[in-house]
Amino acid sequence: MGSGKVTVVALLLCLSLGVIAEDPYLYYNWEVTYGTVAPLGVPQQGILVNGQFPGPRINCTSNNNIVVNVWNKLDEPFLFTWNGVQHRKNSWQDGTPGTMCPIMPGKNFTYRFQVKDQIGSYYYFPATALHRAAGGYGGINVHSRALIPVPFDNPADEYNVFVSDWYNKGHKTLKKILDGGRTIGRPDGIIINGKSAKVGEAKGPLFTMIAGKTYRYRFCNLGMRSSINVRFQGHQMKLVELEGSHTVQNIYDSLDIHVGQCLSVLVTADQEPKDYYLVASSRFMKQELSSVAIIGYVDGKGPASPVLPASPPDNTEGIAWSMNQFRSFRWNLTASAARPNPQGSYHYGQINITRTIKIVNSKGQVGGKLRYGLNGISHTDSETPLKLVEYFGVANKAFKYDLMADEAPADPSKLTIATNVKNATFRNYVEIIFENHEKTIRTYHLDGYSFFAVAVEPGKWTPEKRKNYNLVDATSRNNIQVYPNSWAAIMLTFDNAGMWNLRSEMWEKTYLGEQLYFSVLSPSGSLRDEYNLPDNHPLCGIVQNMPLPAPYKA
């Protein structure tokens, strides 16, 4: 028998026996505990994962199956969410209060999800209370499969860099301030991988490089409210990836990274072998906050120069500078990779828009307390996760759909506190406009999706502004910044069934209502579109003792 026939017979035998190879599994066991941290020199209660801050890194490959057993050793309910992981057909694993019951103190839950058709730089963080202000975060690095070419040579090594603002008040104190109706105010400093230092204070290198070699730095901004600019002393950065999209490889002296955003740069060790500073500084604040870390050369001799690279311009000029940098980010259309790409088309600009949703953020007072909202609705979580009550057919007992209109009211600062859930038609191609009338920047994230960030401009949006959209090579990403008194436009297909959180990445604003959920239901109720409730999924609230619904079928 010829070798080709043997291969066919073997394949048919495997299929008849049900032997179908799955993508590889990666297993993690995490303990979430309190621990004393002092990033700015003030001891306080931090949140550690396996005793680490930042937490352990998930290093995986496109299509890998990830299994994370999380033990909650805190004294409060807790959830992880996986920022940027799309959880195709599987919002059950998204880890937001709208999709699953929290992990109670002393209990564990095992997340099971697949990084399906994704590559890029992402992260996990706590989605409960003000836990994000205490740490509990870490990186998710998704690599391309071995046979898929990457548009740059393999780096000598890759490093995760988490920049963020930091408050010296503990997370419980910050929560009490917000619950009392006041703002938490400006942060106390900037940290890099859980530490802060000024020139001359940094001890030992954060990372090392060998002269002549090139390294990949994956930056993420895990802060509470501050946009942060990063730059290397004496070294340029080549941008190669932004939230799952390979980019046109432009060179930058410094890069703005807004809250919640991630990107990858290549840095070549092409300078005199000695120490250099990595600088992270706040943006669009009256008083700049900054921190440094040492990047050392192996066998290098000499300390870093005390002269730091200058910050980019700030205030009005700085916003224009940052907008122009946003416009320079372009999708690398010639790169091979998993492409989070609506309807499988490179020509996203030619798809007919079926719906335009215009969202205006605002703040106001409700009962004398500070609240934030979108189109006049300030979101509050229901007692039972939204996805559960919808799955059990009792959504009417927890919330009303579409309280928030597709257009902002005349005065969006008149806020109504309610559970904010909008219906989205499965597989419709939509345009979402974010309009920010306030003096502070916003960033927004949408779980379950990537979208095309087609425009950011000053002023107010009108339909005529569509002529300025980038309809050719806008990056596909999951976060978008909206500058003060400006607007941003994104496009996406609602092709991922589930309950998905759209939120401000400024966690104070999210906690006080600047978020909503999109309910994306498949009309067929089929396993082809959405997975069933997992067997290990905890039940709580009004569905706790209800009989399970009939499962979806193929």
Side-chain angles (χ1 to χ4, degrees):
M1 187 180 292
S3 61
K5 291 182 179 178
V6 171
T7 302
V8 171
V9 169
L11 176 61
L12 291 173
L13 179 60
C14 287
L15 291 174
S16 68
L17 295 174
V19 182
I20 301 175
E22 285 191 89
D23 290 295
Y25 279 75
L26 300 178
Y27 295 90
Y28 301 87
N29 192 59
W30 292 352
E31 285 193 356
V32 180
T33 61
Y34 292 128
T36 300
V37 299
L40 300 179
V42 178
Q44 63 193 84
Q45 186 183 70
I47 293 177
L48 312 180
V49 184
N50 286 358
Q52 303 172 42
F53 170 51
R57 179 175 66 183
I58 294 178
N59 204 39
C60 59
T61 300
S62 178
N63 288 357
N64 280 176
N65 293 286
I66 312 299
V67 181
V68 187
N69 182 32
V70 177
W71 282 94
N72 178 13
K73 299 298 182 67
L74 309 183
D75 58 2
E76 298 179 315
F78 186 85
L79 283 173
F80 277 125
T81 191
W82 317 90
N83 217 73
V85 177
Q86 292 180 18
H87 300 297
R88 303 298 299 179
K89 308 191 295 184
N90 197 18
S91 65
W92 302 112
Q93 306 297 322
D94 196 37
T96 61
T99 58
M100 58 185 295
C101 306
I103 308 169
M104 301 306 290
K107 303 295 183 180
N108 74 304
F109 176 76
T110 302
Y111 292 90
R112 295 181 174 91
F113 58 89
Q114 186 179 24
V115 284
K116 181 69 173 170
D117 295 331
Q118 288 188 262
I119 57 98
S121 305
Y122 311 104
Y123 59 90
Y124 59 87
F125 75 95
T128 38
L130 265 288
H131 294 145
R132 178 169 173 150
Y137 54 71
I140 306 172
N141 299 349
V142 187
H143 298 267
S144 292
R145 288 176 288 181
L147 297 179
I148 304 297
V150 174
F152 50 89
D153 294 334
N154 287 334
D157 206 341
E158 62 177 41
Y159 300 127
N160 286 81
V161 184
F162 302 103
V163 294
S164 74
D165 50 24
W166 189 263
Y167 290 79
N168 284 328
K169 297 182 179 71
H171 66 100
K172 292 184 179 180
T173 300
L174 294 175
K175 182 175 179 295
K176 286 180 181 178
I177 291 171
L178 294 181
D179 289 343
R182 295 176 291 126
T183 176
I184 58 175
R186 292 198 174 115
D188 297 297
I190 299 294
I191 63 175
I192 303 172
N193 282 15
K195 297 179 180 179
S196 181
K198 302 300 180 186
V199 170
E201 295 177 350
K203 296 186 172 87
L206 178 66
F207 300 114
T208 58
M209 302 192 293
I210 298 173
K213 294 188 178 295
T214 298
Y215 296 79
R216 181 176 186 171
Y217 287 81
R218 296 177 184 258
F219 284 94
C220 293
N221 183 341
L222 269 292
M224 293 286 284
R225 66 184 298 171
S226 305
S227 296
I228 293 176
N229 182 270
V230 297
R231 51 204 183 273
F232 288 86
Q233 196 176 49
H235 296 75
Q236 292 183 314
M237 297 176 285
K238 180 187 287 185
L239 182 69
V240 294
E241 177 257 333
L242 176 70
E243 295 180 351
S245 289
H246 290 309
T247 59
V248 173
Q249 295 179 11
N250 295 325
I251 304 296
Y252 298 88
D253 292 321
S254 72
L255 283 163
D256 279 353
I257 308 176
H258 305 282
V259 179
Q261 296 180 356
C262 294
L263 53 80
S264 291
V265 299
L266 298 181
V267 176
T268 300
D270 56 4
Q271 301 297 307
E272 176 190 351
K274 65 184 191 73
D275 287 348
Y276 294 87
Y277 282 123
L278 165 64
V279 186
S281 59
S282 62
R283 297 284 278 141
F284 319 124
M285 293 175 61
K286 289 182 179 179
Q287 182 179 357
E288 182 182 279
L289 303 172
S290 66
S291 181
V292 299
I294 291 175
I295 306 297
Y297 276 61
V298 174
D299 298 326
K301 296 181 181 178
S305 166
V307 180
L308 298 180
S311 304
D314 217 329
N315 299 325
T316 303
E317 183 184 353
I319 290 172
W321 184 95
S322 192
M323 278 189 180
N324 284 332
Q325 188 169 91
F326 164 85
R327 296 185 186 110
S328 73
F329 298 157
R330 300 297 177 108
W331 202 19
N332 187 339
L333 298 180
T334 64
S336 298
R339 289 184 181 271
N341 189 14
Q343 300 183 354
S345 169
Y346 293 101
H347 307 293
Y348 65 90
Q350 298 176 19
I351 304 172
N352 290 328
I353 296 169
T354 58
R355 181 182 183 184
T356 296
I357 303 172
K358 184 178 176 183
I359 297 176
V360 176
N361 58 275
S362 63
K363 67 177 179 180
Q365 296 279 326
V366 180
K369 293 185 176 182
L370 175 66
R371 295 290 301 188
Y372 295 91
L374 300 172
N375 286 5
I377 303 296
S378 184
H379 174 82
T380 185
D381 291 322
S382 64
E383 177 190 356
T384 310
L386 311 173
K387 181 61 185 171
L388 279 175
V389 293
E390 189 175 69
Y391 185 75
F392 277 80
V394 289
N396 62 319
K397 295 184 179 180
F399 64 88
K400 293 181 180 179
Y401 291 100
D402 297 321
L403 290 176
M404 189 189 100
D406 285 4
E407 288 276 350
D411 184 1
S413 66
K414 292 182 178 179
L415 297 174
T416 299
I417 296 178
T419 302
N420 196 357
V421 182
K422 284 189 73 64
N423 273 311
T425 303
F426 190 47
R427 295 196 173 124
N428 266 16
Y429 190 65
V430 303
E431 169 189 56
I432 301 178
I433 312 299
F434 298 97
E435 201 168 88
N436 179 14
H437 300 169
E438 297 185 31
K439 296 179 180 180
T440 55
I441 193 170
R442 293 293 201 276
T443 55
Y444 292 99
H445 170 81
L446 177 59
D447 281 353
Y449 292 91
S450 63
F451 48 71
F452 290 105
V454 295
V456 165
E457 288 191 2
K460 294 185 178 181
W461 181 85
T462 61
E464 291 74 25
K465 299 290 187 180
R466 292 187 179 118
K467 68 179 184 294
N468 298 333
Y469 286 4
N470 176 1
L471 298 180
V472 178
D473 59 356
T475 51
S476 177
R477 54 197 290 177
N478 56 74
N479 287 277
I480 184 66
Q481 69 265 25
V482 193
Y483 294 96
N485 298 308
S486 301
W487 59 269
I490 66 172
M491 294 177 172
L492 75 148
T493 304
F494 277 122
D495 61 352
N496 191 14
M499 183 72 70
W500 303 107
N501 188 218
L502 171 70
R503 60 178 174 268
S504 168
E505 286 284 24
M506 282 72 167
W507 208 249
E508 170 185 26
K509 295 172 175 56
T510 303
Y511 183 78
L512 292 182
E514 198 170 299
Q515 60 173 310
L516 61 86
Y517 284 84
F518 280 111
S519 170
V520 186
L521 293 173
S522 164
S524 63
S526 168
L527 283 175
R528 290 171 297 178
D529 299 328
E530 186 174 17
Y531 297 141
N532 281 308
L533 177 74
D535 292 340
N536 71 326
H537 205 282
L539 300 180
C540 57
I542 62 175
V543 304
Q544 189 165 11
N545 297 312
M546 293 180 63
L548 289 173
Y552 299 141
K553 297 181 179 180

